[in-house]
């Protein structure tokens, strides 16, 4: 398609994280095809959002920030609230308060912003969990306005996502884009008349990963890059690592989240474990390629994205069989944690440290080859362009 169209991406944008990478790459893919792209967040607006690594700040805003800027009553009420109850966060992040919910009908005002934007764009792309906040409203509005609508599903689909009352409005989706065959099989069975395809992820700053050397020595440095939240099971990783009594090993944990203090306390009596906090996207390749073996213990994931990066960087991987991992590595990959048990994880960690230099090099090369064959930036960008524009 040679003509330029206006593409609206709607997503609960975070300050950083996997959803930003998905949104950023979709936007970048469309921009490279000379499309007009705007990202509308149904979450919080961040001035230092990692999305700015992909798009200009003028191509991004949030529903609540737009309301604050354009609605006199909303702006006035929040300014009064800021005087009565001062807080350090921006006023547009305080829309969910008793006054606005009771007296301003904030739900319908948000809905009006969504309708205005959807009506002014040619193609609507949702990037979120299948039944995320505002998805139902966005899908119904797009269908009413006869706009094609696509959804990049960012999480592992569970049975409660496809209950009959949800399927009724999910039928309005023009095209479901999945990370994994697992997700596609579940949803295609529930919604066989809709279009479904698989487009996995790729490593941003790909050259930096591909230039990293293949690992040619037994692994001693384990690491994880993750939000520190319950579903990521970093607690399981810490327990499993602590059970291995080998002073030559180390565990490096990158990320931030609500469990940070608890996890640091859990690891406090083991000086082999280090925490580094959140890292900037521009430093992500350096972090991966500094260490040997990525650990993933998540109970639920869409990808995860960190595994794709590790594959590009030829890092070894121990992971739960979650999200797209079986599609990426094959269901018989020997370093899948089949159950969420510390004993199983620690056994695999011990096994991978005992690989010979030749075995380590072979596994490292195999993981990179899987990436370059199936998940390169050029291949994924082409797939998005075809799925959305053709």
């Amino acid at each position: 398609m040679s003509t330029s169209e206006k593409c609206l991406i709607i997503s609960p944008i975070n300050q950083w994280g996997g959803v930003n990478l998905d949104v950023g790459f979709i936007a970048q893919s469309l921009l490279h095809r000379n499309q007009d792209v705007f990202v509308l967040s149904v979450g919080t607006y961040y001035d230092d959002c990692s999305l700015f690594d992909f798009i200009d700040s003028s191509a991004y805003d949030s529903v609540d920030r737009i309301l604050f800027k354009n609605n006199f009553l909303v702006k006035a009420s929040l300014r009064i609230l800021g005087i009565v109850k001062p807080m350090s966060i921006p006023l547009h992040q305080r829309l969910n308060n008793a006054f606005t919910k009771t007296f301003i009908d904030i739900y319908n005002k948000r809905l009006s912003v969504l309708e205005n934007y959807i009506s002014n764009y040619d193609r609507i792309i949702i990037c979120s969990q299948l039944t995320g906040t505002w998805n139902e409203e966005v899908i119904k509005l797009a269908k009413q306005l006869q706009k094609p609508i696509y959804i990049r599903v960012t999480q592992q689909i569970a049975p409660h996502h496809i209950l009959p009352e949800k399927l009724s409005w999910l039928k309005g989706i023009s095209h479901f884009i999945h990370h994994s065959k697992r997700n596609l099989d579940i949803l295609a069975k529930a919604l066989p008349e809709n279009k479904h395809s698989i487009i996995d992820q790729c490593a941003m700053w790909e050259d930096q990963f591909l230039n990293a050397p293949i690992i040619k020595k037994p692994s001693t440095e384990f690491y994880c890059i993750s939000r520190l939240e319950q579903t990521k099971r970093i607690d399981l990783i810490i327990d499993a690592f602590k059970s291995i009594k080998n002073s030559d090993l180390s565990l490096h944990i990158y990320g931030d989240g609500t469990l940070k203090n608890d996890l640091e306390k859990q690891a406090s009596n083991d000086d082999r474990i280090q925490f580094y906090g959140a890292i900037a996207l521009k430093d992500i390749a350096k972090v991966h390629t500094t260490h040997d073996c990525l650990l993933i213990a998540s109970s639920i994931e869409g990808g995860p994205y960190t595994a794709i990066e590790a594959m590009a960087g030829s890092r070894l991987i121990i992971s739960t069989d979650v999200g797209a991992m079986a599609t990426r590595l094959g269901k018989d990959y020997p370093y899948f944690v089949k159950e969420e048990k510390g004993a199983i994880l620690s056994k695999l960690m011990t096994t991978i440290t005992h690989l010979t230099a030749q075995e380590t090099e072979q596994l490292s090369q195999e993981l990179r080859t899987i990436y370059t064959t199936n998940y390169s930036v050029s291949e994924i960008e082409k797939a998005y362009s075809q799925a959305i524009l053709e």
Side-chain angles (χ1 to χ4, degrees):
M1 179 175 294
S2 57
T3 59
S4 177
E5 293 195 271
K6 297 179 70 178
C7 300
L8 178 66
I9 304 175
I10 299 175
S11 179
I13 297 299
N14 297 309
Q15 191 171 10
W16 56 77
V19 70
N20 291 20
L21 294 170
D22 270 339
V23 169
F25 191 76
I26 294 170
Q28 194 173 79
S29 300
L30 296 172
L31 288 168
H32 286 168
R33 292 287 295 272
N34 298 315
Q35 307 303 301
D36 182 358
V37 179
F38 190 86
V39 177
L40 180 64
S41 176
V42 290
T44 300
Y45 179 92
Y46 294 99
D47 291 315
D48 56 349
C49 176
S50 63
L51 196 61
F52 298 151
D53 287 303
F54 303 94
I55 63 171
D56 189 81
S57 60
S58 63
Y60 158 65
D61 213 333
S62 74
V63 171
D64 285 0
R65 187 167 177 261
I66 291 166
L67 261 182
F68 177 75
K69 289 187 294 184
N70 298 335
N71 187 287
F72 173 79
L73 186 57
V74 168
K75 181 181 287 187
S77 65
L78 289 181
R79 282 182 170 171
I80 293 170
L81 179 64
I83 295 170
V84 176
K85 293 184 177 180
M87 292 178 68
S88 59
I89 62 173
L91 290 175
H92 62 79
Q93 293 184 17
R94 301 182 67 181
L95 267 176
N96 290 322
N97 62 75
F99 180 84
T100 56
K101 289 180 178 179
T102 305
F103 298 104
I104 299 183
D105 190 12
I106 203 66
Y107 171 82
N108 280 311
K109 284 183 168 50
R110 284 168 166 157
L111 193 63
S112 180
V113 172
L114 286 167
E115 182 175 10
N116 180 55
Y117 271 79
I118 291 169
S119 66
N120 283 290
Y121 282 80
D122 302 308
R123 296 176 185 270
I124 313 303
I125 303 116
I126 297 174
C127 187
S128 81
Q129 296 185 5
L130 185 64
T131 55
T133 304
W134 293 104
N135 281 10
E136 180 177 359
E137 291 89 341
V138 169
I139 293 165
K140 288 179 176 178
L141 283 170
K143 188 174 182 181
Q144 177 185 329
L145 294 165
Q146 298 183 313
K147 308 283 185 175
I149 184 162
Y150 311 79
I151 183 168
R152 165 40 130 189
V153 183
T154 60
Q155 101 281 35
Q156 187 172 312
I157 295 173
H160 69 271
H161 296 134
I162 53 174
L163 296 173
E165 63 269 22
K166 295 177 180 177
L167 292 178
S168 64
W169 51 267
L170 286 170
K171 290 178 180 178
I173 295 286
S174 309
H175 192 162
F176 290 90
I177 300 173
H178 304 281
H179 282 134
S180 66
K181 185 176 184 298
R182 178 192 320 219
N183 270 10
L184 185 148
D185 288 346
I186 293 171
L187 203 57
K189 183 177 180 180
L191 294 168
E193 296 180 6
N194 295 71
K195 187 173 182 180
H196 299 264
S197 63
I198 298 173
I199 303 177
D200 206 330
Q201 297 165 310
C202 57
M204 304 298 106
W205 300 279
E206 185 178 74
D207 290 347
Q208 295 180 40
F209 286 99
L210 297 180
N211 286 333
I214 300 296
I215 300 173
K216 296 183 179 181
K217 63 177 181 61
S219 298
T220 59
E221 293 193 17
F222 295 97
Y223 72 105
C224 49
I225 303 173
S226 173
R227 288 183 292 109
L228 305 185
E229 307 293 346
Q230 184 57 44
T231 59
K232 304 301 184 180
R233 296 308 313 271
I234 306 300
D235 59 324
L236 187 72
I237 289 174
I238 292 172
D239 278 344
F241 180 81
K242 288 173 67 176
S243 72
I244 304 172
K245 307 304 180 184
N246 183 339
S247 60
D248 293 330
L249 304 183
S250 58
L251 172 61
H252 307 267
I253 300 173
Y254 297 85
D256 205 346
T258 59
L259 297 182
K260 181 181 179 182
N261 291 338
D262 292 341
L263 294 171
E264 287 180 340
K265 183 178 180 180
Q266 181 185 354
S268 61
N269 61 348
D270 193 327
D271 59 12
R272 300 174 302 165
I273 304 174
Q274 299 294 323
F275 288 81
Y276 299 88
I279 50 176
L281 287 179
K282 62 181 177 64
D283 298 325
I284 198 80
K286 181 179 179 181
V287 167
H288 274 283
T289 55
T290 297
H291 309 299
D292 303 325
C293 182
L294 176 69
L295 301 177
I296 299 167
S298 304
S299 57
I300 187 167
E301 284 280 2
Y305 183 75
T306 51
I308 283 288
E309 294 174 325
M311 291 161 65
S314 71
R315 301 304 97 178
L316 310 189
I317 299 172
I318 298 174
S319 174
T320 43
D321 181 5
V322 67
M325 293 305 292
T327 303
R328 294 166 174 173
L329 302 180
K331 61 182 178 62
D332 296 324
Y333 181 67
Y335 300 103
F336 275 143
V337 183
K338 296 296 185 180
E339 298 178 63
E340 289 183 39
K341 293 183 178 179
I344 296 174
L345 178 56
S346 62
K347 182 178 179 180
L348 289 173
M349 292 164 71
T350 300
T351 299
I352 218 162
T353 62
H354 288 164
L355 294 178
T356 64
Q358 183 179 358
E359 290 169 334
T360 300
E361 181 179 357
Q362 181 179 347
L363 179 57
S364 175
Q365 182 62 67
E366 286 175 355
L367 290 168
R368 173 169 283 167
T369 300
I370 293 172
Y371 175 84
T372 55
T373 304
N374 301 290
Y375 303 107
S376 68
V377 167
S378 59
E379 287 299 315
I380 301 302
E381 187 171 298
K382 179 181 176 182
Y384 270 124
S385 298
Q386 291 176 338
I388 296 171
L389 299 176
E390 299 178 3

